[in-house]
Amino acid sequence: PPIVFTYTPVIYQVIIAIAAIYLIICLALALKHRRENSLIFFVTYLFFIFIVINDILYYNKLILTGFLLPYGVFVLAFAKSIVLSKNLSLTFIKTEKLSVELDNYNKLLEMKVDDRTEQIKIQNTELEKQSERLKASNEQLKELNTFKESLTGMIIHDLKNPLNIVLNFAKDERVLHAGNQMLHLVHNLLDVQRYENSVMKLNCRLVSLHELVNNALNQSNFLVKEKNIELELKLTKDYPLMVDEEIMNRVFVNLLTNALKFTPNMGKVSIYIKENTDALSICFADSGPGIPKDQQMIFEKFGQLIVKRAGRSGSTGLGLTFCKMAIEAHGGSIDYTSELGKGATFCCKLPKPESAQIQQKFPTEAAHVPQAVKVIDTRIFDFSPAEIEELQQIIEELAALQLYEVGNIKILLKKLEQTQSEQIKAWLAEVQGTLWMNDNDRFQQLLNMARK
């Protein structure tokens, strides 16, 4: 009703006035902070608000200017169109600039790609040249390796004949031992080279375990005597093995010889059996320095184990390589356990023969293998005063030398070669034996026996 709505515009006019004040404050703050297009909006809205105030005053018949709101709306819309066109123009300019930059970047990128492509082509060419050189080098290495293997084979075959002559005619036990060692090395070289890329051919038959152990003991007896080693054999009964006797004999000799070499003088070596349902493990335990945990190459070709062994380096590693080849060719396996300072134990595991009737042909008691062998040289020389007087010409000079000075020691020992005393001759032989075994304790003991 008119009595109501005629009074409500006043309320709306107050609200519009408050909103206009708030809007002017916000635009003034934007202008102060230099917001984009804030000046245009501030001036335009200020003009628009004046027109609104004019229309309110005109509506309330306080002034007679006229109704101007359409002009204010036009100015407001025009200002906004100016801002919009300005933004569109700036956006277009920015787009143009970015397009130019992108084009420049693409051109630079293409140049870099071309440059990198050229570098890759050069590198590929160099790699192809290197590949050709490597192929040529590889071919040369193959030829050299083939020549080396054939030359090694010829040398080894030619070594066997003179070694057999040495072994047949030598009377000195040390010469025989050294000759046997060299012959084993020759056989190991031949077999490792022969079977490295092929299957080992076996001539298997039933063989007594005790025979194999006894053969190994006979061939290693020199080391047992020279180093005064206690040899413990725990073989309470005999066992049949379906093996190639010649090859397995060499395996046992290699393992026993290694155990004796790494065991110090007066040490202990044990041979014992671990029996399973379908397999038999023959173990060789020494009391040497042991094998480091990080040593993974002892079964590989020329994988030397460098440990202190009576002042000398380790073996070539061919023996253990051959042992591994031979045991695996028989369907078995070889492994070791060790603790530093407490020795090492090598066990070769071989399958048992299947036929129970064949096993009955072998005795159950170990009749031919002793349970313990201990060889200790405790000879004490009791020299007469005349013999002591004769020895004094070299004793002090010998005491001043280290055991590794073998050449100087031998020169001094030659001074007594013409002696008539059997005691002194035996003493000289003992001293030479300590040089051979590098036994410094026995060397000093012999020197003390010869002092006044």
Side-chain angles (χ1 to χ4, degrees):
I3 195 170
V4 175
F5 78 78
T6 54
Y7 292 98
T8 55
V10 178
I11 298 172
Y12 293 134
Q13 291 166 5
V14 172
I15 293 173
I16 289 170
I18 294 171
I21 293 169
Y22 175 74
L23 185 59
I24 289 297
I25 293 171
C26 289
L27 290 171
L29 290 174
L31 182 61
K32 180 182 177 181
H33 290 96
R34 300 178 182 276
R35 301 292 186 186
E36 188 178 2
N37 301 314
S38 58
L39 179 60
I40 296 174
F41 282 117
F42 181 77
V43 172
T44 303
Y45 274 97
L46 190 61
F47 176 75
F48 180 74
I49 288 169
F50 281 140
I51 289 178
V52 170
I53 293 171
N54 173 80
D55 287 358
I56 291 172
L57 294 175
Y58 175 75
Y59 178 79
N60 288 294
K61 299 187 184 297
L62 295 176
I63 59 175
L64 301 174
T65 54
F67 192 67
L68 303 176
L69 185 61
Y71 301 103
V73 172
F74 171 76
V75 171
L76 185 64
F78 183 74
K80 289 195 173 186
S81 65
I82 290 173
V83 171
L84 183 60
S85 63
K86 179 185 174 184
N87 288 340
L88 288 173
S89 176
L90 291 175
T91 303
F92 180 76
I93 292 170
K94 189 175 181 180
T95 303
E96 286 282 326
K97 184 179 179 181
L98 289 174
S99 297
V100 172
E101 290 180 356
L102 182 61
D103 187 55
N104 292 334
Y105 182 77
N106 286 335
K107 290 179 180 178
L108 181 62
L109 187 60
E110 287 177 1
M111 291 174 61
K112 288 185 177 180
V113 169
D114 291 339
D115 185 51
R116 294 290 174 85
T117 304
E118 189 64 29
Q119 291 180 5
I120 291 173
K121 287 181 180 179
I122 295 172
Q123 290 175 353
N124 285 338
T125 304
E126 185 62 28
L127 286 174
E128 288 176 0
K129 291 179 180 178
Q130 290 181 0
S131 177
E132 292 297 326
R133 289 196 292 267
L134 286 174
K135 285 180 180 179
S137 299
N138 189 42
E139 291 298 325
Q140 290 178 353
L141 286 174
K142 286 181 179 179
E143 291 177 4
L144 287 173
N145 188 55
T146 304
F147 175 73
K148 180 208 71 174
E149 290 181 354
S150 61
L151 183 63
T152 303
M154 286 189 293
I155 292 173
I156 292 170
H157 278 292
D158 290 342
L159 277 174
K160 290 174 67 177
N161 291 333
L163 276 175
N164 286 326
I165 294 173
V166 170
L167 293 174
N168 288 329
F169 292 95
K171 296 181 180 180
D172 191 308
E173 193 173 4
R174 288 172 297 181
V175 175
L176 286 171
H177 174 69
N180 277 318
Q181 280 189 312
M182 182 62 72
L183 189 60
H184 279 298
L185 177 60
V186 167
H187 282 300
N188 290 338
L189 276 169
L190 274 173
D191 288 335
V192 169
Q193 181 180 347
R194 183 188 307 161
Y195 300 120
E196 194 170 17
N197 298 314
S198 61
V199 179
M200 185 178 289
K201 296 179 180 179
L202 302 176
N203 183 21
C204 294
R205 66 181 185 86
L206 280 174
V207 181
S208 164
L209 172 64
H210 286 175
E211 288 183 20
L212 294 173
V213 173
N214 277 325
N215 289 336
L217 289 173
N218 290 334
Q219 295 188 49
S220 307
N221 191 46
F222 175 77
L223 275 178
V224 177
K225 291 179 181 178
E226 284 293 323
K227 299 184 74 173
N228 296 330
I229 289 175
E230 179 183 352
L231 189 61
E232 183 180 32
L233 304 172
K234 300 177 182 178
L235 306 173
T236 55
K237 94 182 204 184
D238 198 1
Y239 294 90
L241 295 174
M242 183 63 73
V243 295
D244 186 308
E245 183 176 7
E246 181 184 352
I247 290 176
M248 196 54 59
N249 181 63
R250 285 172 50 203
V251 170
F252 280 26
V253 170
N254 276 325
L255 293 176
L256 180 57
T257 302
N258 276 351
L260 294 171
K261 285 179 181 178
F262 283 94
T263 298
N265 295 344
M266 310 288 289
K268 181 179 179 180
V269 171
S270 301
I271 303 175
Y272 60 91
I273 302 297
K274 290 193 294 187
E275 185 176 5
N276 297 324
T277 305
D278 57 350
L280 193 69
S281 294
I282 303 96
C283 299
F284 298 80
D286 64 59
S287 54
I291 302 172
K293 291 182 179 179
D294 59 351
Q295 179 61 248
Q296 302 294 331
M297 299 175 61
I298 59 175
F299 290 112
E300 294 183 15
K301 187 178 179 182
F302 300 114
Q304 292 189 4
L305 174 62
I306 305 300
V307 295
K308 184 178 179 182
R309 188 192 70 212
R312 287 173 287 179
S313 64
S315 61
T316 61
L318 285 173
L320 289 176
T321 304
F322 168 75
C323 291
K324 186 173 185 293
M325 286 181 173
I327 295 296
E328 290 178 352
H330 283 84
S333 62
I334 183 169
D335 202 358
Y336 73 93
T337 57
S338 178
E339 186 176 350
L340 285 180
K342 295 187 178 180
T345 300
F346 283 82
C347 292
C348 48
K349 187 177 182 180
L350 293 168
K352 290 181 178 179
E354 295 182 0
S355 174
Q357 295 178 348
I358 296 177
Q359 296 183 22
Q360 293 176 1
K361 296 181 180 180
F362 288 83
T364 57
E365 299 298 329
H368 302 293
V369 180
Q371 294 306 302
V373 177
K374 189 172 183 179
V375 183
I376 300 176
D377 191 347
T378 57
R379 181 172 184 180
I380 298 175
F381 293 96
D382 185 15
F383 296 111
S384 66
E387 290 171 331
I388 290 178
E389 192 67 34
E390 185 178 356
L391 288 169
Q392 293 313 300
Q393 58 180 310
I394 67 167
I395 288 300
E396 296 308 322
E397 292 182 76
L398 283 175
L401 297 174
Q402 298 294 326
L403 191 58
Y404 61 79
E405 299 179 81
V406 177
N408 293 333
I409 294 174
K410 287 185 175 181
I411 291 172
L412 291 175
L413 294 180
K414 283 184 178 180
K415 295 180 179 181
L416 298 177
E417 285 184 349
Q418 304 302 322
T419 183
Q420 301 299 316
S421 170
E422 295 299 325
Q423 280 265 79
I424 293 178
K425 288 180 180 179
W427 182 85
L428 288 172
E430 286 282 329
V431 173
Q432 289 175 343
T434 62
L435 298 179
W436 176 259
M437 296 309 301
N438 200 16
D439 188 351
N440 189 59
D441 293 337
R442 180 62 175 165
F443 179 71
Q444 296 298 330
Q445 184 183 12
L446 291 169
L447 293 183
N448 291 332
M449 291 179 189
R451 285 190 171 96
K452 289 182 180 180

